[in-house]
Amino acid sequence: EDQVTQSPEALRLQEGESSSLNCSYTVSGLRGLFWYRQDPGKGPEFLFTLYSAGEEKEKERLKATLTKKESFLHITAPKPEDSATYLCAVQSVRSYIPTFGRGTSLIVHP
Amino acid sequence: NAGVTQTPKFRVLKTGQSMTLLCAQDMNHEYMYWYRQDPGMGLRLIHYSVGEGTTAKGEVPDGYNVSRLKKQNFLLGLESAAPSQTSVYFCASRAGDTQYFGPGTRLTVL
């Protein structure tokens, strides 16, 4: 059974204070690992897909990295508008269905 | 393109009432999904479809039925609503490895 554990559950940062969110996973044959952003009252919005260990992707202040056991979402010099819940999901090669973690709620104070 | 839309946005039901949630996508995607999201539980898959006329059970299918008569629409039905079905429901469609989520339906069952 595929499993995804995200930590921490909640994170408070000051504007400009860089940090990382963790996504630990177990999957039988990784097809892809996904990061989504979810704003309050809205549906998740796709950020990144990572396919193999060592891969990295960047978008503005966000950078996602992948190892064989975990992924990190690094946030550099965050701004208040980066406040959201960040969801991680994995999909195995044998499934049409991604397994989601419970998310990390990020609040960036000005 | 409107992307993924959901109707209605909010609904309050009494125990035992029935209702149908509508999901529509204009991106010609084959795969569609219904999730529920509860505090502390993350996204849980209810049912999914890999194409017009097909449906399959997800992680938490009990109490729900679905239909995919047209490729662009995926309907989620509650035949006899229960308070345990109070949740936020998200529909998603998929292209490649990316899921596109709708804005959600907030359902309260009294």
mmCIF file of all heavy atoms in Angstrom, chain A residues 20-38:
data_model
loop_
_atom_site.group_PDB
_atom_site.id
_atom_site.type_symbol
_atom_site.label_atom_id
_atom_site.label_comp_id
_atom_site.label_asym_id
_atom_site.label_seq_id
_atom_site.Cartn_x
_atom_site.Cartn_y
_atom_site.Cartn_z
ATOM 1 N N SER A 20 11.917 24.455 4.700
ATOM 2 C CA SER A 20 11.594 23.323 3.840
ATOM 3 C C SER A 20 10.442 22.523 4.406
ATOM 4 O O SER A 20 10.321 22.377 5.624
ATOM 5 C CB SER A 20 12.804 22.395 3.684
ATOM 6 O OG SER A 20 13.875 23.062 3.065
ATOM 7 N N LEU A 21 9.609 21.994 3.518
ATOM 8 C CA LEU A 21 8.549 21.066 3.875
ATOM 9 C C LEU A 21 8.974 19.674 3.421
ATOM 10 O O LEU A 21 9.581 19.522 2.359
ATOM 11 C CB LEU A 21 7.236 21.448 3.175
ATOM 12 C CG LEU A 21 6.797 22.907 3.249
ATOM 13 C CD1 LEU A 21 5.463 23.088 2.547
ATOM 14 C CD2 LEU A 21 6.752 23.398 4.665
ATOM 15 N N ASN A 22 8.606 18.664 4.226
ATOM 16 C CA ASN A 22 9.033 17.309 3.930
ATOM 17 C C ASN A 22 7.872 16.427 3.509
ATOM 18 O O ASN A 22 6.755 16.544 4.031
ATOM 19 C CB ASN A 22 9.711 16.692 5.150
ATOM 20 C CG ASN A 22 10.127 15.261 4.907
ATOM 21 O OD1 ASN A 22 9.420 14.320 5.269
ATOM 22 N ND2 ASN A 22 11.265 15.069 4.266
ATOM 23 N N CYS A 23 8.122 15.532 2.574
ATOM 24 C CA CYS A 23 7.152 14.531 2.144
ATOM 25 C C CYS A 23 7.884 13.191 2.086
ATOM 26 O O CYS A 23 8.701 12.969 1.185
ATOM 27 C CB CYS A 23 6.577 14.894 0.787
ATOM 28 S SG CYS A 23 5.519 13.619 0.053
ATOM 29 N N SER A 24 7.598 12.306 3.040
ATOM 30 C CA SER A 24 8.180 10.966 3.042
ATOM 31 C C SER A 24 7.191 10.004 2.421
ATOM 32 O O SER A 24 5.985 10.090 2.692
ATOM 33 C CB SER A 24 8.496 10.530 4.477
ATOM 34 O OG SER A 24 9.463 11.370 5.058
ATOM 35 N N TYR A 25 7.684 9.063 1.628
ATOM 36 C CA TYR A 25 6.748 8.187 0.926
ATOM 37 C C TYR A 25 7.271 6.757 0.832
ATOM 38 O O TYR A 25 8.483 6.508 0.900
ATOM 39 C CB TYR A 25 6.467 8.728 -0.481
ATOM 40 C CG TYR A 25 7.661 8.697 -1.409
ATOM 41 C CD1 TYR A 25 7.887 7.592 -2.234
ATOM 42 C CD2 TYR A 25 8.555 9.754 -1.472
ATOM 43 C CE1 TYR A 25 8.984 7.560 -3.084
ATOM 44 C CE2 TYR A 25 9.648 9.724 -2.319
ATOM 45 C CZ TYR A 25 9.865 8.621 -3.123
ATOM 46 O OH TYR A 25 10.952 8.586 -3.964
ATOM 47 N N THR A 26 6.326 5.843 0.698
ATOM 48 C CA THR A 26 6.636 4.470 0.314
ATOM 49 C C THR A 26 5.696 4.112 -0.825
ATOM 50 O O THR A 26 4.493 4.363 -0.755
ATOM 51 C CB THR A 26 6.459 3.478 1.471
ATOM 52 O OG1 THR A 26 5.114 3.582 1.979
ATOM 53 C CG2 THR A 26 7.421 3.757 2.600
ATOM 54 N N VAL A 27 6.253 3.546 -1.862
ATOM 55 C CA VAL A 27 5.464 3.197 -3.042
ATOM 56 C C VAL A 27 6.157 2.052 -3.755
ATOM 57 O O VAL A 27 7.389 1.970 -3.794
ATOM 58 C CB VAL A 27 5.310 4.428 -3.968
ATOM 59 C CG1 VAL A 27 6.653 4.875 -4.523
ATOM 60 C CG2 VAL A 27 4.319 4.160 -5.081
ATOM 61 N N SER A 28 5.344 1.173 -4.336
ATOM 62 C CA SER A 28 5.926 0.054 -5.076
ATOM 63 C C SER A 28 6.094 0.452 -6.538
ATOM 64 O O SER A 28 5.199 0.275 -7.352
ATOM 65 C CB SER A 28 5.014 -1.162 -4.963
ATOM 66 O OG SER A 28 3.693 -0.813 -5.344
ATOM 67 N N GLY A 29 7.218 1.038 -6.846
ATOM 68 C CA GLY A 29 7.476 1.503 -8.201
ATOM 69 C C GLY A 29 6.913 2.896 -8.428
ATOM 70 O O GLY A 29 5.739 3.061 -8.705
ATOM 71 N N LEU A 30 7.764 3.908 -8.296
ATOM 72 C CA LEU A 30 7.281 5.293 -8.378
ATOM 73 C C LEU A 30 7.065 5.695 -9.835
ATOM 74 O O LEU A 30 7.978 5.649 -10.655
ATOM 75 C CB LEU A 30 8.286 6.239 -7.725
ATOM 76 C CG LEU A 30 7.895 7.732 -7.743
ATOM 77 C CD1 LEU A 30 6.699 7.985 -6.830
ATOM 78 C CD2 LEU A 30 9.076 8.609 -7.339
ATOM 79 N N ARG A 31 5.825 6.125 -10.124
ATOM 80 C CA ARG A 31 5.554 6.727 -11.425
ATOM 81 C C ARG A 31 5.817 8.230 -11.358
ATOM 82 O O ARG A 31 6.395 8.804 -12.284
ATOM 83 C CB ARG A 31 4.111 6.487 -11.852
ATOM 84 C CG ARG A 31 3.731 7.178 -13.160
ATOM 85 C CD ARG A 31 2.260 6.968 -13.476
ATOM 86 N NE ARG A 31 1.859 7.728 -14.651
ATOM 87 C CZ ARG A 31 1.882 7.248 -15.885
ATOM 88 N NH1 ARG A 31 2.291 6.007 -16.112
ATOM 89 N NH2 ARG A 31 1.497 7.996 -16.908
ATOM 90 N N GLY A 32 5.389 8.833 -10.242
ATOM 91 C CA GLY A 32 5.598 10.262 -10.093
ATOM 92 C C GLY A 32 5.262 10.739 -8.694
ATOM 93 O O GLY A 32 4.448 10.117 -8.005
ATOM 94 N N LEU A 33 5.897 11.821 -8.262
ATOM 95 C CA LEU A 33 5.568 12.483 -7.001
ATOM 96 C C LEU A 33 5.128 13.891 -7.346
ATOM 97 O O LEU A 33 5.775 14.583 -8.143
ATOM 98 C CB LEU A 33 6.772 12.512 -6.059
ATOM 99 C CG LEU A 33 6.501 13.130 -4.676
ATOM 100 C CD1 LEU A 33 7.225 12.366 -3.583
ATOM 101 C CD2 LEU A 33 6.830 14.598 -4.637
ATOM 102 N N PHE A 34 4.011 14.308 -6.752
ATOM 103 C CA PHE A 34 3.372 15.560 -7.126
ATOM 104 C C PHE A 34 3.289 16.499 -5.928
ATOM 105 O O PHE A 34 3.041 16.072 -4.801
ATOM 106 C CB PHE A 34 1.950 15.290 -7.633
ATOM 107 C CG PHE A 34 1.866 14.160 -8.606
ATOM 108 C CD1 PHE A 34 1.470 12.895 -8.190
ATOM 109 C CD2 PHE A 34 2.181 14.349 -9.938
ATOM 110 C CE1 PHE A 34 1.405 11.841 -9.082
ATOM 111 C CE2 PHE A 34 2.113 13.300 -10.844
ATOM 112 C CZ PHE A 34 1.723 12.040 -10.407
ATOM 113 N N TRP A 35 3.460 17.782 -6.196
ATOM 114 C CA TRP A 35 3.222 18.825 -5.203
ATOM 115 C C TRP A 35 2.084 19.724 -5.705
ATOM 116 O O TRP A 35 2.058 20.128 -6.872
ATOM 117 C CB TRP A 35 4.464 19.673 -4.972
ATOM 118 C CG TRP A 35 5.506 19.024 -4.104
ATOM 119 C CD1 TRP A 35 6.624 18.377 -4.503
ATOM 120 C CD2 TRP A 35 5.516 18.982 -2.670
ATOM 121 N NE1 TRP A 35 7.330 17.918 -3.424
ATOM 122 C CE2 TRP A 35 6.679 18.287 -2.278
ATOM 123 C CE3 TRP A 35 4.655 19.472 -1.666
ATOM 124 C CZ2 TRP A 35 7.010 18.067 -0.944
ATOM 125 C CZ3 TRP A 35 4.981 19.253 -0.343
ATOM 126 C CH2 TRP A 35 6.150 18.558 0.010
ATOM 127 N N TYR A 36 1.152 20.009 -4.773
ATOM 128 C CA TYR A 36 0.041 20.901 -5.056
ATOM 129 C C TYR A 36 -0.002 21.985 -3.989
ATOM 130 O O TYR A 36 0.381 21.764 -2.840
ATOM 131 C CB TYR A 36 -1.302 20.157 -5.026
ATOM 132 C CG TYR A 36 -1.532 19.220 -6.178
ATOM 133 C CD1 TYR A 36 -1.013 17.931 -6.172
ATOM 134 C CD2 TYR A 36 -2.281 19.625 -7.288
ATOM 135 C CE1 TYR A 36 -1.224 17.070 -7.241
ATOM 136 C CE2 TYR A 36 -2.498 18.766 -8.359
ATOM 137 C CZ TYR A 36 -1.966 17.491 -8.314
ATOM 138 O OH TYR A 36 -2.176 16.645 -9.377
ATOM 139 N N ARG A 37 -0.556 23.116 -4.360
ATOM 140 C CA ARG A 37 -0.834 24.203 -3.423
ATOM 141 C C ARG A 37 -2.350 24.339 -3.312
ATOM 142 O O ARG A 37 -3.064 24.303 -4.324
ATOM 143 C CB ARG A 37 -0.244 25.511 -3.961
ATOM 144 C CG ARG A 37 -0.683 26.739 -3.190
ATOM 145 C CD ARG A 37 -0.292 28.013 -3.874
ATOM 146 N NE ARG A 37 -0.934 29.150 -3.199
ATOM 147 C CZ ARG A 37 -0.269 30.199 -2.732
ATOM 148 N NH1 ARG A 37 1.047 30.292 -2.907
ATOM 149 N NH2 ARG A 37 -0.924 31.167 -2.121
ATOM 150 N N GLN A 38 -2.852 24.501 -2.068
ATOM 151 C CA GLN A 38 -4.293 24.691 -1.881
ATOM 152 C C GLN A 38 -4.534 25.918 -1.017
ATOM 153 O O GLN A 38 -4.117 25.968 0.149
ATOM 154 C CB GLN A 38 -4.935 23.457 -1.240
ATOM 155 C CG GLN A 38 -6.447 23.567 -1.145
ATOM 156 C CD GLN A 38 -7.098 22.299 -0.645
ATOM 157 O OE1 GLN A 38 -6.478 21.460 -0.002
ATOM 158 N NE2 GLN A 38 -8.374 22.133 -0.957
#
